[in-house]
């Protein structure tokens, strides 16, 4: 069989040229001649398509010969000649089936939890060393980190918790009024804010603010070789970067939670006073009866656990970052999602424990 | 001469992939030793193994004064390709960091020494600049100042002239020669810039993708007398492109 290429073919005609080549090669026997004697001008894409055809035919046991190219065409043919091309060092990524994707995602998820547990071990061991050698921790950053995680978050914490208390009370106000149970608005707002809503909402807010921030910060340091630089300077990244961040969160999240409890209750109180005919004194008195120190304490214990989890996961994801700017984005997203997942788990486990102990 | 770094039958790779194997090498005190080769041949990977950032698949790496204990003062300084300065710290804070970690000097003394290191690399006046406020060449020089902060007698440089304009590259070469000649610092550097190699290297090894070390010796000798086609091709092609003479 002879396939004759005539005239010119460049990138703009690559599609029609490719189809014509495919059509011309149909039913090739055991030998094919690609005749370029009539070809006037071929660009790289046309030449690549010709070599692609040769490769395909050769794979089908067809002996292919390219003949008759003029000197200028021969020059570009020589430039793109793929006969000495190195085999691919890696297989191209095959399209995954849904089952494979689900399997891989599950395996990645389990692997991620394993990585976090290993990291917890590493942080624990470094913390024990730090207890014996307090100077090995980079305390200089603590003030700044506490300001970033705590003080800087105050306005948004106050606004959100005030609105939560307000909306929650507003939703319940109508029902409570129907039963003449106006005063119980203090029970509802007080208990839900201190025991679960305050700690959980603050943890979600801190995860989105400081958790994502820490993860992106450490991730950027990782891809720009700053973590390697720390290591070769003899500075342990865990003691230099991770422990101060976890400590800042452990100290700040409970404080933010306490503040959220307070502001949320004020939000609920405003609804009680303005829509349920309660006096401020009646609201505070009822709150005093309904909420005791244990309620506030359990919420703060929860927030402490949330702080540790946010710090651990954000720093682990940050230090695990690979792959440049895209990797920083991917690992930061992964940090926030993993933190949210663990917040729910911690919340469930601690609530059961508190229930079991009758707290 | 005293051997500072010894590699015995070193094998480097990840998982099933072997990047290079059976690398044997000795680097003497006082040398400027260059690891050279084309892109992707494993120069930076070899460096990362020597400085202990990666564990080898096989063989041994011995660096005098360094036993892998991260609780001890580092035996060498490293300048990474981008300088790897800490972005939230000024230049003087970057250089002060290893001093405050590894010495009991007072803050004033640390500041004085850090400023002296910055002066050594011609960055006096920029002490309170952040890394984001200075050029690429200045970042690399600040990286060298930080690497030298605790009087390291051994310095590893990863692609020091990569991405620099010709003037900054020449200035950096001169700095490397000064550090070696006047302070006796042993320098191991990774590069593919022939202009630098012929000017500063005492000895070099050449790596080739998939083959590991293919040549060792004086770079001028290798250029003029190597029988290995890959070596002569590397030198001649780059020289033809204006690399060096």
């Amino acid at each position: 069989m002879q396939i004759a290429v005539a005239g010119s073919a460049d990138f703009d005609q690559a599609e029609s040229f490719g189809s014509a080549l495919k059509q011309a090669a149909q039913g090739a026997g055991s030998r094919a001649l690609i005749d370029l004697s009539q070809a006037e001008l071929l660009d790289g894409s046309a030449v690549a398509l010709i070599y692609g055809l040769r490769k395909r035919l050769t794979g089908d046991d067809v002996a292919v010969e390219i003949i008759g190219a003029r000197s200028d065409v021969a020059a570009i043919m020589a430039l793109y000649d793929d006969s000495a091309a190195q085999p691919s060092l890696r297989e191209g990524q095959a399209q995954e089936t849904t089952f494979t994707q689900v399997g891989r995602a599950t395996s990645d998820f389990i692997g991620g939890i394993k990585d976090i547990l290993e990291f917890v071990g590493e942080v624990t061991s470094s913390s024990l060393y730090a207890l014996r050698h307090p100077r090995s921790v980079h305390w200089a950053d603590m003030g700044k980190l506490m300001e970033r995680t705590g003080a800087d978050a105050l306005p948004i914490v106050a606004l959100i918790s005030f609105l939560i208390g307000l909306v929650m009370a507003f939703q319940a106000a109508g029902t409570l009024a129907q039963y003449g149970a106006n005063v119980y608005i203090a029970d509802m707002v007080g208990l839900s804010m201190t025991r679960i809503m305050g700690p959980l909402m603050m943890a979600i807010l801190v995860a989105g603010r400081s958790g994502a921030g820490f993860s992106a910060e450490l991730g950027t340091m990782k891809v720009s070789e700053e973590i390697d630089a720390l290591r070769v300077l003899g500075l342990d990244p865990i003691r230099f970067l991770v422990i101060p961040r976890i400590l800042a969160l452990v100290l700040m999240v409970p404080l933010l939670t306490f503040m959220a409890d307070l502001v949320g209750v004020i939000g609920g109180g405003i609804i009680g006073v303005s829509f349920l005919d309660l006096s401020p004194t009646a609201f505070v008195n009822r709150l005093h009866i309904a909420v005791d120190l244990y309620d506030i304490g359990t919420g703060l214990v929860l927030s402490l656990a949330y702080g540790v989890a946010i710090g651990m996961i954000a720093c682990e994801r940050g230090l695990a970052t690979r792959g440049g700017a895209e990797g920083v984005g991917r690992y930061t997203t992964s940090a926030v999602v993993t933190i949210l997942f663990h917040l729910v788990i911690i919340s469930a486990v601690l609530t059961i424990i508190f229930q079991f102990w009758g707290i | 001469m005293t051997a500072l770094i010894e590699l015995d039958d070193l094998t480097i790779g990840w998982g099933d992939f072997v990047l290079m194997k059976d690398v044997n090498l000795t680097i003497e005190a006082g040398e400027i030793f260059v690891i050279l080769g084309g892109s992707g041949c494993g120069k930076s990977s070899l460096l990362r193994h020597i400085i202990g950032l990666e564990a080898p698949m096989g063989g041994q790496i011995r660096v005098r004064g360094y036993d892998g204990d991260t609780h001890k003062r580092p035996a060498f300084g490293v300048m990474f390709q981008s300088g790897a300065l800490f972005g939230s710290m000024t230049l003087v804070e970057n250089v002060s960091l290893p001093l405050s970690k590894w010495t009991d000097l007072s803050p004033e003394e640390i500041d004085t020494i850090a400023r002296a290191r910055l002066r050594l690399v011609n960055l006096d006046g920029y002490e309170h600049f952040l890394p984001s406020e200075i050029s690429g060449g200045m970042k690399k020089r600040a990286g060298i100042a930080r690497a030298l902060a605790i009087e390291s007698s051994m310095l590893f440089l990863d692609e020091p002239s990569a991405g620099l304009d010709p003037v900054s590259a020449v200035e950096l070469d001169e700095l490397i020669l000064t550090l070696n000649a006047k302070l006796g610092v042993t320098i191991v550097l990774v590069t593919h810039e022939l202009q630098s190699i012929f000017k500063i290297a005492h000895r070099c090894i050449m790596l080739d993708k998939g083959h590991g070390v293919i040549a060792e010796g004086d770079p001028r000798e290798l250029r003029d007398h190597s029988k290995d086609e890959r070596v002569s091709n590397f030198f001649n092609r780059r020289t033809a492109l204006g690399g060096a003479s």
Side-chain angles (χ1 to χ4, degrees), chain A residues 86 89 129 135-136 138 141 144 217 221 224-236 239-240, chain B residues 48 51 53 70-71 74 76 78 80-82 84-87 89 97-98 100-104 146 158:
Chain A
Q86 289 209 6
L89 294 170
Y129 180 87
R135 271 192 62 194
S136 66
H138 188 56
D141 269 358
K144 215 163 39 178
E217 185 184 10
M221 288 181 78
S224 60
E225 295 182 308
E226 288 176 44
I227 303 292
D228 289 339
L230 274 180
R231 288 206 168 97
V232 297
L233 288 172
L235 298 160
D236 176 19
R239 290 194 294 275
F240 194 83
Chain B
R48 288 177 66 81
I51 62 180
L53 286 176
T70 51
H71 299 135
F76 48 77
V78 183
F80 290 89
Q81 204 165 339
S82 60
L85 300 172
F86 305 118
M89 296 181 184
L97 189 63
S100 53
K101 158 76 183 174
W102 294 111
T103 68
D104 290 321
R146 189 179 63 187
D158 189 5

Side-chain angles (χ1 to χ4, degrees), chain B residues 159-194:
Chain B
E159 305 268 14
S161 28
L164 294 187
D165 62 272
V167 176
S168 304
V170 167
E171 283 173 359
L172 204 58
D173 287 345
E174 281 164 4
L175 175 64
I176 291 168
L177 285 170
T178 307
L179 294 175
N180 177 256
K182 300 206 171 148
L183 300 178
V185 179
T186 305
I187 293 170
V188 180
L189 71 105
V190 161
T191 188
H192 53 239
E193 303 283 343
L194 286 191

Side-chain angles (χ1 to χ4, degrees), chain A residues 41 62 72 79 81 93 97 118 120 152 181 208 239 260 267 285 353:
Chain A
L41 180 75
V62 180
D72 49 346
L79 190 65
D81 192 359
Q93 276 191 335
T97 64
E118 276 176 15
V120 170
D152 291 354
R239 290 194 294 275
N285 284 343
I353 291 174

Side-chain angles (χ1 to χ4, degrees), chain A:
Chain A
M1 164 183 253
Q2 184 155 339
I3 301 164
V5 178
S8 301
D10 61 14
F11 183 69
D12 290 337
Q13 293 134 11
E15 198 181 332
S16 55
F17 183 69
S19 312
L21 276 180
K22 236 183 258 173
Q23 211 167 3
Q26 270 173 1
S30 59
R31 189 160 183 270
L33 276 181
I34 302 177
D35 181 5
L36 301 182
S37 56
Q38 304 295 310
E40 289 163 12
L41 180 75
L42 298 180
D43 79 344
S45 51
V47 170
L49 289 171
I50 292 171
Y51 282 132
L53 176 69
R54 179 175 74 175
K55 192 173 174 187
R56 207 167 50 247
L57 289 175
T58 308
D60 293 340
D61 291 329
V62 180
V64 182
E65 199 179 342
I66 299 173
I67 55 164
R70 281 170 20 181
S71 60
D72 49 346
V73 173
I76 196 158
M77 291 296 291
L79 190 65
Y80 279 90
D81 192 359
D82 66 350
S83 48
Q86 289 209 6
S88 291
L89 294 170
R90 184 180 285 173
E91 292 287 317
Q93 276 191 335
Q95 187 72 33
E96 286 181 336
T97 64
T98 310
F99 285 117
T100 315
Q101 284 177 9
V102 170
R104 195 170 47 77
T106 310
S107 153
D108 286 353
F109 182 74
I110 293 167
I113 291 177
K114 192 172 145 261
D115 289 344
I116 289 167
L117 289 176
E118 276 176 15
F119 186 74
V120 170
E122 214 178 320
V123 173
T124 310
S125 141
S126 269
S127 303
L128 292 175
Y129 180 87
L131 279 177
R132 282 177 280 125
H133 304 88
R135 271 192 62 194
S136 66
V137 177
H138 188 56
W139 298 112
D141 269 358
M142 274 300 288
K144 215 163 39 178
L145 290 168
M146 284 165 69
E147 186 187 333
R148 261 170 61 191
T149 50
D152 291 354
L154 277 178
I156 187 76
V157 164
L159 179 70
I160 288 182
S161 42
F162 177 77
L163 289 175
I164 288 171
L166 193 91
V167 170
M168 206 159 51
F170 191 70
Q171 292 280 348
T175 313
L176 289 173
Q178 272 181 359
Y179 292 97
N182 298 15
V183 77
Y184 291 109
I185 194 81
D187 297 53
M188 196 209 73
V189 173
L191 287 174
S192 52
M193 278 310 290
T194 53
R195 289 192 73 109
I196 188 74
M197 287 303 281
L200 194 59
M201 287 312 295
M202 276 321 95
I204 291 171
L205 196 113
V206 172
R209 241 186 124 264
S210 307
F214 288 166
S215 181
E217 185 184 10
L218 299 196
T220 308
M221 288 181 78
K222 176 84 186 297
V223 298
S224 60
E225 295 182 308
E226 288 176 44
I227 303 292
D228 289 339
L230 274 180
R231 288 206 168 97
V232 297
L233 288 172
L235 298 160
D236 176 19
I238 304 279
R239 290 194 294 275
F240 194 83
L241 298 168
V242 176
I243 290 177
R245 279 163 178 75
I246 293 176
L247 272 181
L249 286 171
V250 164
L251 292 170
M252 287 297 111
V253 176
L255 282 178
L256 288 175
T257 302
F258 187 69
M259 151 121 181
D261 292 351
L262 221 70
V263 178
V265 167
I266 292 171
I270 287 172
I271 294 294
V273 171
S274 37
F275 287 89
L276 296 173
D277 300 327
L278 291 178
S279 69
T281 319
F283 183 84
V284 172
N285 284 343
R286 184 62 213 170
L287 194 68
H288 189 63
I289 295 165
V291 180
D292 57 28
L293 277 178
Y294 282 116
D295 298 314
I296 299 168
T298 52
L300 294 181
V301 169
L302 261 178
S303 69
L304 201 74
Y306 291 154
V308 174
I310 295 168
M312 287 275 188
I313 297 166
C315 293
E316 191 279 330
R317 294 284 81 191
L319 291 178
T321 301
R322 281 175 294 147
E326 183 263 345
V328 174
R330 199 154 35 86
Y331 277 81
T332 304
T333 308
S334 160
V336 175
V337 172
T338 314
I339 289 170
L340 295 180
F341 171 77
H342 282 82
L343 291 183
V344 175
I345 300 283
I346 291 167
S347 179
V349 170
L350 286 184
T351 306
I352 291 168
I353 291 174
F354 293 151
Q355 197 73 30
F356 183 73
W357 281 347
I359 297 171

Side-chain angles (χ1 to χ4, degrees), chain B residues 1-8 10 23-36 43 46-47 50-51 61-64 153-157 180 185-190 202-205 213 216-217:
Chain B
M1 295 282 252
T2 323
L4 276 190
I5 299 162
E6 288 171 284
L7 311 185
D8 293 335
L10 184 72
V23 178
N24 289 287
L25 182 66
T26 303
I27 298 173
E28 311 282 352
E31 270 193 307
I32 298 182
F33 188 89
V34 173
I35 301 168
L36 78 138
K43 303 185 294 289
L46 178 59
L47 187 80
I50 297 174
I51 62 180
I61 302 167
R62 283 190 296 276
V63 179
R64 205 180 70 186
S153 59
M154 225 185 313
L155 195 56
F156 293 90
L157 311 174
N180 177 256
V185 179
T186 305
I187 293 170
V188 180
L189 71 105
V190 161
H202 297 151
R203 216 153 54 87
C204 72
I205 53 166
V213 180
E216 183 182 345

